Amino acid sequence: MILCDIGNTFLHFYNHGKVWKEEPHQLSSKDSSEVIIYISVNEESTKSLLYSHPKCFDLTPYLYLDTAYKGLGIDRIASCLAVPNGTIVDAGSAITIDTMHNGIHLGGCILPGIERYRELFSTIDVLDCDFNLSVDLDAFPQNTQDAISYGVLKSIVSMIAQSSKGKKIYFTGGDGKFLSRYFPNSIYDDLLIFKGMQNAISTHITSRGIKL
Amino acid sequence: MILCDIGNTFLHFYNHGKVWKEEPHQLSSKDSSEVIIYISVNEESTKSLLYSHPKCFDLTPYLYLDTAYKGLGIDRIASCLAVPNGTIVDAGSAITIDTMHNGIHLGGCILPGIERYRELFSTIDVLDCDFNLSVDLDAFPQNTQDAISYGVLKSIVSMIAQSSKGKKIYFTGGDGKFLSRYFPNSIYDDLLIFKGMQNAISTHITSRGIKL
């Protein structure tokens, strides 16, 4: 059994503790006896997977999350299913911050990803500079580079802190490791989505004897 | 005496309590006996002003601000000179947040302007929607539109709150009036830059008998 999280840029795979990513138009061939269980936010990349492998299974209908949120992305649902209590931060091209309490999703918010902020400032002449990722968030900035780095990082960190209300924070995604360093009560886990998928498989598929 | 703040898009004028803006290539002709005292962040627009009016005076060398900040824009300097104590928020295409204490500038930071955030999200398919500017900042969002509106507005509001530390906040700029509604201890003042210019004129020019 191989797990696959199909994003907008890459397909992320998990198999026996190994994680890797592939581009949609350069998918490697895999053991044809293995089933690939997937979730997807990208239709085109899903087609590529289905074309490349004979046994694929869409897990989407089995991902039940107790939430009032309308339109929650399937990848966010999967991450939340891995964390019964705590705040989940997926820091990629967008930063999503979701809060779980006793297995219930309380809601979530979205900020631009760090690189998107940088691209945005690069369109304003006088503000086009790299971020200083080690800027001190406890002292007033004293130059332009620090002023935009502080603005971006402190606003992201504040939003995460306010959402978590001191509870444990689970980071995932490309900038997750970097952001986790601002929070002692946090962990970085790049397997979060796959853990949520595994939970759904155990609860709704394996335990019911459904054959994939 | 006419005051002029030359920005990147418009030239803003002040004369006897009247404020108006003009585009750089459509400057109205003004009473040629009046001197126009200006500051500028845009060289091309400055040339347009100088070409359109015979008596112009650059106030830049007379704007002294006590600060360790390197490269502070002349418009931010002018606003700060109007506020000896407090936080100054200029909310335009970028949002600058500066802190003054007993006439000394302690530092400042920069965030994208609200419209820039919207443009940024519009480049991400599933996040391309208008902001809900009346989203509740005290409740977890329950749909995509609220999730991005909350993310953007709450991160801006939090940054301003943290910078102000409860002291008075002076808003200016296009989105200043809107943002000021989140802070009871604040005022919106679209004359802030002109007040700073007037302070500099009184202190360093009129009082010394310098003839313009």
Side-chain angles (χ1 to χ4, degrees):
Chain A
M1 184 173 86
I2 299 169
L3 300 182
C4 178
D5 162 32
I6 305 176
N8 279 315
T9 315
F10 293 102
L11 292 86
H12 299 261
F13 292 93
Y14 173 87
N15 190 22
H16 293 301
K18 195 178 147 202
V19 187
W20 72 100
K21 63 184 179 184
E22 299 185 18
E23 290 184 13
H25 300 300
Q26 294 189 312
L27 290 175
S28 67
S29 58
K30 295 165 189 74
D31 180 350
S32 61
S33 68
E34 288 270 22
V35 62
I36 298 181
I37 301 182
Y38 70 90
I39 58 171
S40 172
V41 296
N42 187 297
E43 222 171 299
E44 279 306 303
S45 298
T46 308
K47 284 182 192 161
S48 300
L49 179 73
L50 296 177
Y51 187 76
S52 77
H53 193 80
K55 290 168 72 181
C56 295
F57 181 90
D58 183 359
L59 191 64
T60 307
Y62 299 90
L63 293 188
Y64 304 111
L65 181 69
D66 192 347
T67 182
Y69 194 108
K70 300 268 177 283
L72 196 63
I74 195 69
D75 45 352
R76 282 168 75 188
I77 291 178
S79 296
C80 288
L81 287 174
V83 180
N85 281 291
T87 296
I88 300 101
V89 180
D90 189 344
S93 61
I95 298 173
T96 55
I97 306 172
D98 287 289
T99 302
M100 291 290 294
H101 180 69
N102 291 344
I104 297 168
H105 176 251
L106 300 185
C109 71
I110 305 173
L111 281 171
I114 294 176
E115 180 56 23
R116 292 293 175 115
Y117 276 100
R118 215 204 54 73
E119 286 168 16
L120 185 159
F121 280 120
S122 75
T123 65
I124 307 173
D125 252 6
V126 292
L127 304 180
D128 182 13
C129 50
D130 284 335
F131 286 157
N132 171 10
L133 294 178
S134 56
V135 65
D136 182 354
L137 298 191
D138 295 316
F140 286 114
Q142 301 298 342
N143 60 64
T144 303
Q145 188 191 28
D146 283 359
I148 62 170
S149 309
Y150 176 102
V152 168
L153 295 180
K154 189 157 181 165
S155 63
I156 294 170
V157 167
S158 296
M159 286 298 285
I160 296 170
Q162 286 178 69
S163 298
S164 75
K165 296 185 172 119
K167 293 199 177 158
K168 193 158 180 175
I169 306 167
Y170 297 78
F171 285 93
T172 191
D175 289 320
K177 204 175 185 70
F178 166 71
L179 287 173
S180 70
R181 73 178 195 182
Y182 292 102
F183 299 92
N185 192 20
S186 75
I187 59 163
Y188 171 70
D189 187 349
D190 62 354
L191 297 182
L192 220 51
I193 289 179
F194 297 122
K195 286 181 178 171
M197 291 174 72
Q198 277 172 326
N199 285 349
I201 293 166
S202 308
T203 313
H204 302 296
I205 297 184
T206 321
S207 68
R208 293 186 194 171
I210 295 173
K211 201 168 160 58
L212 299 175
Chain B
M1 183 173 85
I2 299 169
L3 301 182
C4 179
D5 162 33
I6 305 176
N8 279 316
T9 315
F10 293 103
L11 292 86
H12 299 261
F13 292 93
Y14 173 87
N15 189 23
H16 293 300
K18 195 178 149 204
V19 187
W20 72 100
K21 63 185 180 183
E22 299 185 18
E23 290 185 15
H25 300 298
Q26 294 187 313
L27 290 175
S28 68
S29 58
K30 295 165 188 74
D31 180 349
S32 62
S33 67
E34 287 269 23
V35 62
I36 298 180
I37 301 182
Y38 70 91
I39 58 171
S40 173
V41 297
N42 187 296
E43 221 171 300
E44 278 307 300
S45 297
T46 307
K47 283 181 192 160
S48 300
L49 179 73
L50 296 177
Y51 187 77
S52 78
H53 193 81
K55 289 169 71 181
C56 296
F57 181 90
D58 184 359
L59 191 64
T60 308
Y62 298 91
L63 293 188
Y64 304 110
L65 181 69
D66 192 347
T67 181
Y69 194 108
K70 300 269 176 284
L72 196 63
I74 196 68
D75 45 353
R76 282 169 75 187
I77 291 178
S79 296
C80 288
L81 287 173
V83 181
N85 281 291
T87 296
I88 300 101
V89 180
D90 190 344
S93 61
I95 298 173
T96 56
I97 306 172
D98 287 289
T99 302
M100 291 291 292
H101 180 68
N102 292 344
I104 297 167
H105 177 251
L106 300 185
C109 71
I110 305 172
L111 281 171
I114 294 176
E115 180 56 22
R116 293 291 175 116
Y117 275 100
R118 215 204 54 73
E119 285 167 16
L120 185 158
F121 280 121
S122 75
T123 65
I124 306 174
D125 251 7
V126 292
L127 304 180
D128 181 15
C129 50
D130 284 337
F131 286 156
N132 171 10
L133 294 178
S134 55
V135 65
D136 182 353
L137 298 190
D138 295 316
F140 286 114
Q142 302 298 344
N143 60 63
T144 302
Q145 187 191 30
D146 283 359
I148 63 170
S149 309
Y150 176 102
V152 168
L153 294 180
K154 190 155 179 166
S155 63
I156 294 171
V157 167
S158 297
M159 285 298 285
I160 296 170
Q162 287 178 68
S163 298
S164 74
K165 296 184 172 120
K167 292 198 178 161
K168 193 158 180 176
I169 306 168
Y170 298 79
F171 284 93
T172 191
D175 289 321
K177 204 176 186 70
F178 166 71
L179 287 173
S180 70
R181 73 178 195 181
Y182 292 103
F183 298 92
N185 193 19
S186 75
I187 59 164
Y188 171 70
D189 187 349
D190 61 354
L191 297 182
L192 220 50
I193 289 179
F194 297 123
K195 285 181 179 170
M197 291 175 72
Q198 277 171 325
N199 285 350
I201 292 167
S202 307
T203 313
H204 302 297
I205 297 183
T206 320
S207 68
R208 292 186 196 172
I210 295 171
K211 201 168 161 56
L212 300 176

